[in-house]
Amino acid sequence: MDAEVIVAGVNVAGSFALKALSGTDVIAIEKRRTLGYPVECGELVPYVEEMKRLLPDLKSYELFEIPGKYSTNETDYIELIIPNGKSFKVPFKSHIIERDRMVQDVASKGDATILTQHLITGYNRKKLDVRDLETKKKLTISGKVIIASDGGHSVIGRHLGLRNELCPTIQYLMDNVETDENVVKMFVGQEVAAGGYAWIIPKGNGLANVGLGFRKEYARKGDTIHKTMDRFLHKLDITKQYFEKAKIIHKVGAVVPIGLPGKTVVDNVLLAGDSGSQIITHVGAGIPTSMVCGNLAGKIASMHVREGIALSKYETEWKTQLMDALMRSYAIKSMWDLVSKDDARMVRMFEKLVTEKDMYHIIRGYLPLKLAVGKLFLPFLKMVI
Ligand SMILES: Cc1cc2nc3c(=O)[nH]c(=O)nc-3n(C[C@H](O)[C@H](O)[C@H](O)COP(=O)(O)OP(=O)(O)OC[C@H]3O[C@@H](n4cnc5c(N)ncnc54)[C@H](O)[C@@H]3O)c2cc1C
């Protein structure tokens, strides 16, 4: 089986690639039965005005004009809560979307043949090995260009010798969560989410995506992601109030890339989205970057097939538009890592050094100067704080 372009994995990056590839001969391959489902995501997408601050070098913000039909809730604030319960509440406008519906609609805007329930098992000399999960038949599919939009664990990336640094996460869709539905809550600290953060993202009408990221190397001995989630829901004084009447509807576990992007063009492969670690790491936001990079990968692949434009243009282009923001975000995440093994110290640092105004900038990916300088003196600060 051959195609001009193969889209390998159809979720956020893959669906936006498919839309951009309209008019090209495309086969898309997806292991799931239903595109975008189950949803392994908090489903928060910032408003256009926030995207302009988060990713200021984008050439267009049109992709972020999210149609109202995908939105189940709109929030005006993000509130960060530290281990002693002190909170930093900052204005930040977001859509909380039904991401699976958006992915399905966007993918259908292209005219590709989409093979669902097909698992990619290998990449070899510009060809993909694929297994039909229903019939168990094996196929080989080749394309002039392959867009690897198969997520953080990318099989194609692995076959090219590329690996992403990943943070495990767990998320429950819950009903009857008693929280202010205008506010997205983020909790930090070793007890709450070692090496990550925990979130309550209200979807409206009592529903919420509730989850956390957990890195074992930042956790206390014997802690696991499941123990941490149980503690977050039922045992901590600063959180249990939200969940007293709550019911779990659905559970997922997934990963978030937390490294800086490496190579994203190898042979005839373009890596887009989580497969290429194109993510705003300090908040684990990958929907916007996957939309942008999927769209760009689709456009460049189509121009390569029609006009012979070099595939390397993809990497040049996305780096011009995103890399500066991704590096700023990564710097914040790295600073965060330095203080996240000790809750008492984290509290002291926040109380002495961070204001709500600082948090306004940090959430948007800008480290205030005093903290950037503080990072250089962290060993000294650790002695005095
Ligand atoms: C719990 C959690 C909460 C998050 N919350 C948010 C949030 O609120 N806002 C935000 O911006 N970001 C969030 N993120 C990050 C965001 O979800 C990702 O960055 C985004 O989904 C990346 O999209 P993608 O299309 O690149 O990869 P993925 O969403 O991982 O999609 C990869 C696709 O490829 C398919 N696939 C994988 N392997 C194969 C294979 N071998 N064969 C065939 N198909 C395959 C998968 O089934 C999937 O459909 C969250 C992530 C997690 C884990």
Side-chain angles (χ1 to χ4, degrees):
M1 210 187 256
D2 289 345
E4 285 176 334
V5 182
I6 300 174
V7 173
V10 185
N11 203 9
V12 184
S15 60
F16 278 84
L18 285 175
K19 186 174 169 209
L21 279 161
S22 178
T24 315
D25 166 33
V26 183
I27 293 177
I29 305 161
E30 169 54 50
K31 67 180 178 187
R32 291 169 165 174
R33 187 192 301 269
T34 307
L35 296 186
Y37 187 83
V39 179
E40 295 166 341
C41 184
E43 304 180 288
L44 183 154
V45 182
Y47 267 44
V48 170
E49 66 210 62
E50 301 295 358
M51 289 311 313
K52 289 183 180 169
R53 295 187 195 119
L54 272 167
L55 303 178
D57 300 328
L58 288 188
K59 286 187 180 155
S60 160
Y61 293 86
E62 214 177 299
L63 291 178
F64 302 109
E65 303 282 359
I66 307 284
K69 63 179 173 177
Y70 301 131
S71 217
T72 64
N73 190 22
E74 311 281 317
T75 52
D76 287 324
Y77 295 93
I78 290 186
E79 185 177 12
L80 182 102
I81 296 133
I82 61 174
N84 65 349
K86 181 173 176 181
S87 87
F88 299 79
K89 188 170 165 185
V90 296
F92 189 98
K93 280 180 167 291
S94 308
H95 309 274
I96 315 302
I97 61 169
E98 277 191 288
R99 199 184 72 168
D100 48 343
R101 249 189 359 119
M102 184 177 88
V103 162
Q104 289 153 18
D105 281 4
V106 173
S108 73
K109 300 273 190 311
D111 38 24
T113 304
I114 302 180
L115 306 175
T116 52
Q117 287 203 276
H118 280 65
L119 179 75
I120 300 155
T121 54
Y123 167 86
N124 194 1
R125 296 196 185 146
K126 306 188 189 240
K127 291 186 177 147
L128 291 180
D129 300 321
V130 175
R131 187 151 44 92
D132 180 335
L133 295 173
E134 252 177 336
T135 63
K136 313 282 178 231
K137 276 193 189 141
K138 289 185 179 170
L139 347 162
T140 304
I141 307 183
S142 56
K144 283 187 193 145
V145 187
I146 297 174
I147 297 177
S149 40
D150 53 344
H153 282 299
S154 177
V155 171
I156 302 171
R158 246 184 297 141
H159 278 81
L160 291 168
L162 309 171
R163 274 186 196 274
N164 293 312
E165 190 188 348
L166 301 169
C167 171
T169 67
I170 187 169
Q171 183 178 276
Y172 298 171
L173 171 62
M174 300 184 81
D175 199 0
N176 293 331
V177 178
E178 292 172 299
T179 188
D180 180 345
E181 300 208 319
N182 196 21
V183 183
V184 169
K185 292 190 190 284
M186 294 167 71
F187 300 83
V188 289
Q190 201 185 26
E191 266 208 308
V192 174
Y197 71 90
W199 59 88
I200 301 175
I201 302 181
K203 282 171 71 77
N205 298 318
L207 283 176
N209 289 322
V210 179
L212 57 89
F214 176 91
R215 284 187 287 163
K216 208 169 170 36
E217 63 275 27
Y218 287 83
R220 290 178 308 193
K221 209 166 170 230
D223 245 1
T224 64
I225 193 165
H226 290 99
K227 268 194 203 169
T228 310
M229 188 65 166
D230 184 56
R231 190 159 58 224
F232 181 66
L233 296 180
H234 306 297
K235 298 188 182 138
L236 294 179
D237 288 340
I238 60 167
T239 54
K240 63 182 183 198
Q241 55 183 299
Y242 304 110
F243 307 112
E244 267 153 16
K245 298 187 190 142
K247 280 196 303 250
I248 299 168
I249 298 176
H250 193 252
K251 296 183 181 184
V252 290
V255 290
V256 178
I258 51 168
L260 274 174
K263 280 189 197 168
T264 54
V265 180
V266 186
D267 289 348
N268 67 335
V269 176
L270 310 181
L271 290 108
D274 276 11
S275 64
S277 272
Q278 291 155 325
I279 186 160
I280 305 169
T281 42
H282 77 295
V283 281
I287 300 177
T289 42
S290 300
M291 290 163 74
V292 170
C293 293
N295 176 54
L296 261 176
K299 283 191 174 149
I300 302 287
S302 162
M303 285 157 82
H304 176 77
V305 169
R306 290 204 195 117
E307 301 154 28
I309 191 175
L311 290 178
S312 56
K313 174 99 172 106
Y314 165 65
E315 193 162 290
T316 319
E317 195 53 49
W318 79 254
K319 282 192 169 166
T320 307
Q321 297 193 45
L322 288 177
M323 197 61 182
D324 183 54
L326 300 197
M327 282 171 62
R328 273 189 285 105
S329 168
Y330 183 77
I332 294 176
K333 184 228 143 224
S334 308
M335 167 121 196
W336 192 250
D337 286 349
L338 293 173
V339 295
S340 38
K341 271 192 177 168
D342 179 341
D343 281 0
R345 180 173 284 144
M346 183 191 285
V347 166
R348 288 198 298 275
M349 284 215 177
F350 261 96
E351 294 205 318
K352 292 195 173 161
L353 290 177
V354 184
T355 63
E356 233 155 46
K357 195 170 161 217
D358 295 329
M359 195 50 69
Y360 177 95
H361 296 294
I362 292 170
I363 288 287
R364 292 166 173 85
Y366 298 88
L367 195 59
L369 187 64
K370 66 177 176 202
L371 293 177
V373 173
K375 188 178 169 186
L376 297 174
F377 297 103
L378 203 73
F380 171 70
L381 276 178
K382 276 184 172 174
M383 282 187 321
V384 293
I385 290 184

